[in-house]
Structures are given as C-alpha cells and as structure tokens.
Amino acid sequence: MSQEKAHIVRVLLERARNLIEEEKPADAMRVAQTAVETARRQVSEDSANPLELVSALELLGDLCREQGDFPTTEGYYIEALGYAETCDTPPDQLARIKSSLASVYDFTGYTDNAVPLYEEAIALFERVDPPLELDAANARNNLGMIYKDINDFDRAEANYSRALEMLERHYGREHDEVAAVYNNLGGLYYHVGLSAQSREMHAHALEIRRKVYGTDHPDVGQSCSNLAAALHELGELKESIKNFEEALRILESNVGQEVERFAIVSDNFVTLLRAHGKLKRAATIEKRAQKLLRKAAS
C-alpha cells in the first residue's frame, strides 16, 4: 500500500474516531466501513503492508460490538487478526484485538475460545514496555470469572489476585474497579465454602464502595447483601440480618433501576429469616417486596 493510499485510510480512521467522540456512532460506522473497503481494495491491488487494514477492521469491530452485533464483530476481529499475523503489528494493538475477540466469545458463551485469547492478550499486555496493566487487569478479571464458572479455583484466584494487584498499583485502593475485583474474589471464596475469606473480601469491597459512592448507591447495597451472606455462613446471624436490612433499604430506594437485584436480595433475606423461625418478619418483608416489584413493573 503506497504512502498516499495509506494516508487516505488514516484520514478516514481519524474522521471515524472524531465522530465517536462527537457521539455520532452511525456516522462513525459509515466512515469506518468506507475505511475498511478502501483498505481492502488497496491491499488486494498492491499486495502491500495491511497494517492500515488491521486498524480499520479493529475500529469497525469495536463499533459493531458497541451496537451488540456480535456475529459481525467476530468476523471483523478474526479478519483483523489474520492480517495482523502477516505484518509488523504493534504488540499492544495485537493484544487489544485478541482481548476484544475474547470478550465477544466470553459474552456469547464460547468460553473455550475466549480463554486462550485472553491468555495470549495478557501475555502481550504485560510484555509491552511499560506494561499495559489496566488492559491486563481487565482481561485477568474476565478470565477469573470464566475459571470460577468452570470450578477452576486456583486459576480463578490467581487471575483475580493479579488483577487486584495491578489495579491497586495504578488507582490506589479507593476506586470502583478495585472494589469490583474484591467483590469477585469474595464471590469466588463464597462459592467454594471459604466463608471467612469471603467475608474479608466483601468487607473490603463495601468499605471502598462507601468511600467512592457514598452510603446509598446500589453497589453499596449489593456489597451489604454479599457480606450478609458470608456472615450468615459463619453463624453471625445478628450482623448478617443487619447487613441484609441495609442492603434492602438501599436497593428499595433504587428499585426502579435495580428491580432484579432488589428481587434477589429480598428473596434471600426472606429465606434466611424463615430458616431461623422469624416467620412474621419474613412475611412482612416479602409482602412489601412484592408490592414494590409490582409497582416497578407497572
């Protein structure tokens, strides 16, 4: 591809990125499609370096992913990787494309395809100088979720822990992404019956979320609920109930936006109360929850 022709594609890509910044996704999509078509034609005619085509395919794939068109997104990312292997693609760009394709497979349930791509992307992100730790941490967090779902505790824990280390080094402790990984670790430990470790992780997540969001954010309510579940497993009924009550208060005040979370937490709390013979209180909470959920659905 001649320098002049490559310049045309770069101009189109810059225009598409500007349209994204201007929140004009439909226009950005059209320009990105033109960039891909132009770059494909030029690579076909010149049999030259396809790096501009790789960039155009990556951007178009990103736009399709934002629109939720995963089959089309997958095709663009796969094509981009195919060309990327034939030219001197920068490692960070290659890592991004692999991670993006992995996330598509992850979201659509093809986790066997996602795992090796995440691992390859992580290796590239961490090998760049300086390492792209935030990208690596995000991929490790996603990989941890997959390993948790397939009951591979050791790999799940290792990826969550490494992601947490990277995020805390970059952001410090008081950040929502740090809290999210603490939450995921808490869920992992709860899943395998390590209730004391689960309580510790959920307590960290709750502490951070209160500092970041204040006291009435839905994520704070979710952390209260998660901590309540761990406390119950440890036999700390009084503290468990206290945290369930706080979770329900917060989620009730946000029920219009948090219908599913409110329904789950209220059901879990009612189940706990009934298990401990607190039938009247359970019935009161259940009745109120059902009323609020009907109102939110109307």
Side-chain angles (χ1 to χ4, degrees), residues 178-243:
V178 173
V181 180
Y182 271 119
N183 181 74
N184 290 342
L185 268 169
L188 173 67
Y189 291 137
Y190 186 85
H191 181 67
V192 297
L194 297 174
S195 302
Q197 292 91 327
S198 178
R199 173 182 59 185
E200 181 182 358
M201 295 301 104
H202 285 311
H204 287 319
L206 177 56
E207 176 190 5
I208 295 167
R209 283 173 167 171
R210 278 176 172 157
K211 289 179 179 177
V212 172
Y213 295 129
T215 58
D216 295 322
H217 192 278
D219 284 354
V220 174
Q222 183 66 60
S223 282
C224 285
S225 173
N226 293 338
L227 180 57
L231 288 164
H232 181 250
E233 290 300 309
L234 292 167
E236 299 182 33
L237 181 60
K238 184 177 179 180
E239 285 299 308
S240 177
I241 289 174
K242 177 182 175 182
N243 277 277

Side-chain angles (χ1 to χ4, degrees), residues 96-149:
R96 277 199 319 270
I97 298 169
K98 286 177 179 286
S99 184
S100 296
L101 180 56
S103 72
V104 170
Y105 287 136
D106 190 357
F107 187 84
T108 53
Y110 294 97
T111 53
D112 287 347
N113 293 338
V115 167
L117 285 166
Y118 274 138
E119 290 177 338
E120 291 166 16
I122 288 165
L124 288 167
F125 283 137
E126 294 181 356
R127 203 158 56 230
V128 173
D129 187 19
L132 297 174
E133 289 198 325
L134 292 184
D135 296 291
N138 181 64
R140 283 192 177 280
N141 186 51
N142 292 342
L143 196 52
M145 292 181 188
I146 292 175
Y147 283 131
K148 173 181 176 286
D149 288 342

Side-chain angles (χ1 to χ4, degrees), residues 29-67:
M29 181 84 76
R30 283 192 291 271
V31 175
Q33 287 169 336
T34 301
V36 166
E37 291 164 4
T38 303
R40 278 177 178 155
R41 185 168 59 252
Q42 292 171 354
V43 167
S44 175
E45 291 172 356
D46 296 351
S47 299
N49 192 323
L51 187 55
E52 303 302 333
L53 176 55
V54 172
S55 296
L57 287 164
E58 180 189 7
L59 181 60
L60 188 53
D62 292 345
L63 286 164
C64 289
R65 184 173 57 163
E66 288 295 317
Q67 297 296 317

